[in-house]
Structure formats: C-alpha cells, structure tokens
Amino acid sequence: MKRVTLPAYAKLNLTLDILGRRADGYHDLRMVMQAVSLHDDVTVALTEEDGVVCRCGEIPGDESNLAVRAARAFFAATGTPPCGLAVDIVKRIPAQAGMAGGSADAAATLRALRELLLPTLPDEALREIGAAVGSDVPYCVLGGTALAEGRGERLTPLRSAPPFRVVLCKPDFGVSTPALFARADERGVTIRPDTEAMLRAVETGDAAALCANVANAFEDVLGDERDAVLAIKARLLALRAEAAAMTGSGPTVFGLYRDEAAARAAYEALRPDYAQTFLTRFV
Ligand code: C5P
C-alpha cells in the first residue's frame, strides 16, 4: 500500500493586523506568520476501498475535518480520479487554539496527495487548492516565515526569522473566530501592529526589533476570555519572555526566548497550571 507521512506544523502570528471587512464577508488581514516545531503527523495511504476514511484522535474525521475537505478539493481541482484514502492524524496541536492545527493537517494532506498521485503539481497550484479549504491552508502549505495578506492566502515568503525558543500556553477554553471578527467590526481595533517594522526585523535578522514589534489586533476585542489571556501574557513576560502575544484568534499565548534555559523554566512554571503548555521553537 502506498503511503506518505508528513509533519503538519503549528503556526503563530508574529503580527496580526485587521485592515477591514470586505464585501464577501471576509476580512483583509496583514500577518507575519511563523511555523513552530509543535506538529501533528499526517499519514495518507491509498486504499482499495472507496471514499476517504479519516482518523484524527478525539476530533471527528467526517466532512467537517479540513483534511477530508482538502482531499476532496485535491481530486476536484486536479481531475485525478478519486481513489480510496486513509488519512491518519496523530494530533498534538490543540484545536480552536489560534495555531491553525486543522489547516496544517489539510496542508499536509495536500502535500501527501501530491507526492502519491501528482508529483509534478507546482506549489502554487497546491496553495490555490488550499485556499478553497480555509484561509490559513495556503500558508500551511508554504510554512516557515511569511507575510500573509488578503484573506490570508496572498503569501510572500520571507527570510527565516532568527531562531527563537517558544513557550505556547493555551487556557482551557476555545475562542470563536467569527465572533471575534464581528466584535472587531462593531468596535474597531486600536492595536495596529507595525508590519513594516516587523518585516525589516525579519529581513535584517534583528531579534530585538522582532520582539519589539510582536502584536495582535485581536487582543483588543477579546470578550470574557480577556482576563485569562492577559494573565498568561503577563506571566510569560514575568518569566523573562522577550515578547508575548496571543496567536491568531486565540486563546493560545506565546512567549519568545533566545535563552533556552529561560524558556524551559517558563515551561516548567506554567505547566502545572495549564495542561496545554508546550516548549517549541521556530522551524
Ligand atoms: O477561511 P476560514 O474558513 O478559515 O475562515 C473561518 C471564518 O473566519 C470565516 O467564516 C470568517 O468568518 C472569518 N474570517 C474572516 N476573514 C479572514 C479569515 C477568516 O472574516 N481573512
């Protein structure tokens, strides 16, 4: 049986700026994205049976799973005859966490299908298929450090950011992305990251400037979650993080460290209080 296993890396937002609501209901964003070593493992195997069977730990493997939607989108867009597929996902990235876990699985599924069925398919075509599955999927196909614009699908690959250790800490609840966007529309946002400064910091490899420009507009429009998110941020900063912010629509908060021992100490300090704490690094 032909099969491929690929890592599906989580992402964080070094910056997230909301430019405005569009006629199609989506929002124009400007985000500097960074992949981290926390990852799911996605195995795609060609099978003799019909249809797509997806196992994804506690998460349903039905049509709501972005990996299944990605497989269907791949067959539809490439004209490859749909064949039997088994998609097995070893899940480590928390769901509804702002780390694009579902999108990462979808992107890994697309890359695995290309390897198994259509190795000549260019990256750009794969990212375009991903855009129909979800706004973060094209970035997850690309990975690394990148500027994402438009809905999130317009990508500019960037020089790799300087190497940071990352402590990720997710409180025990999820956040609804559409609800946060709705609140941003109602109230407007006052946090506006300096994306240009972040791009310069990445381009010149200036770790201090990178830390100084970490910012996420969504922190402005948190509802009931606000106190819990800001409490983690304050603890990370007290635990010597050089920068800390929520990623995506949250609620996960990340802290950046150049000092590995400090990162480990922060991880050890937070873990007893937050079961979903991870010690990772930029990839
Ligand atoms: O594209 P995706 O399905 O991941 O988006 C989930 C939801 O997030 C959308 O239905 C929309 O409400 C919101 N969204 C948005 N603008 C974006 C990305 C997502 O309003 N750029």
Side-chain angles (χ1 to χ4, degrees):
M1 192 161 54
K2 276 174 82 179
R3 70 170 67 224
V4 169
T5 300
L6 293 173
Y9 293 107
K11 66 88 179 157
L12 49 82
N13 289 90
L14 297 178
T15 61
L16 190 157
D17 192 14
I18 304 170
L19 304 184
R21 192 171 186 277
R22 316 188 326 186
D24 64 4
Y26 282 91
H27 293 74
D28 275 321
L29 304 175
R30 203 151 186 250
M31 311 179 277
V32 177
M33 317 281 267
Q34 174 63 50
V36 293
S37 55
L38 174 66
H39 63 280
D40 297 341
D41 290 314
V42 178
T43 300
V44 179
L46 306 183
T47 64
E48 301 296 321
E49 282 101 77
D50 286 343
V52 180
V53 176
C54 175
R55 283 170 292 250
C56 190
E58 313 258 285
I59 293 161
D62 58 16
E63 296 296 324
S64 68
N65 194 300
L66 291 188
V68 175
R69 303 218 315 242
R72 303 228 187 279
F74 182 91
F75 291 129
T78 59
T80 333
C83 53
L85 286 186
V87 181
D88 280 285
I89 303 175
V90 177
K91 201 74 206 152
R92 299 187 193 89
I93 308 171
Q96 287 209 319
M99 290 192 274
S103 301
D105 296 341
T109 301
L110 292 176
R111 287 173 43 234
L113 284 171
R114 170 170 67 180
E115 202 169 318
L116 290 165
L117 299 171
L118 206 59
T120 56
L121 190 70
D123 262 25
E124 206 182 321
L126 208 59
R127 293 203 292 263
E128 217 167 278
I129 298 169
V133 179
S135 301
D136 282 336
V137 181
Y139 163 73
C140 292
V141 171
L142 178 67
T145 313
L147 173 68
E149 296 175 287
R151 200 158 60 85
E153 86 289 11
R154 258 180 32 228
L155 296 169
T156 309
L158 302 173
R159 195 182 146 189
S160 292
F164 276 96
R165 305 278 159 174
V166 185
V167 176
L168 295 165
C169 182
K170 180 186 171 291
D172 222 5
F173 52 81
V175 168
S176 156
T177 305
L180 271 198
F181 272 118
R183 216 171 296 133
D185 294 339
E186 274 165 36
R187 293 197 208 156
V189 286
T190 53
I191 295 178
R192 299 295 309 275
D194 187 343
T195 310
E196 296 306 320
M198 178 59 83
L199 291 174
R200 274 196 305 278
V202 169
E203 183 53 41
T204 57
D206 185 338
L210 182 149
C211 288
N213 285 289
V214 163
N216 182 347
F218 274 130
E219 285 181 21
D220 234 7
V221 286
L222 287 166
D224 297 341
E225 317 90 357
R226 185 182 183 83
D227 290 352
V229 167
L230 295 185
I232 296 174
K233 190 169 159 176
R235 273 192 76 183
L236 279 164
L237 291 170
L239 289 160
R240 295 178 49 206
E242 295 182 64
M246 190 171 78
T247 177
S249 55
T252 307
V253 181
F254 65 89
L256 300 186
Y257 293 85
R258 274 175 283 181
D259 183 329
E260 187 177 349
R264 180 160 292 280
Y267 166 75
E268 305 284 356
L270 286 166
R271 235 183 96 86
D273 296 335
Y274 301 96
Q276 290 180 299
T277 303
F278 305 89
L279 180 58
T280 66
R281 59 183 170 78
F282 285 4
V283 289

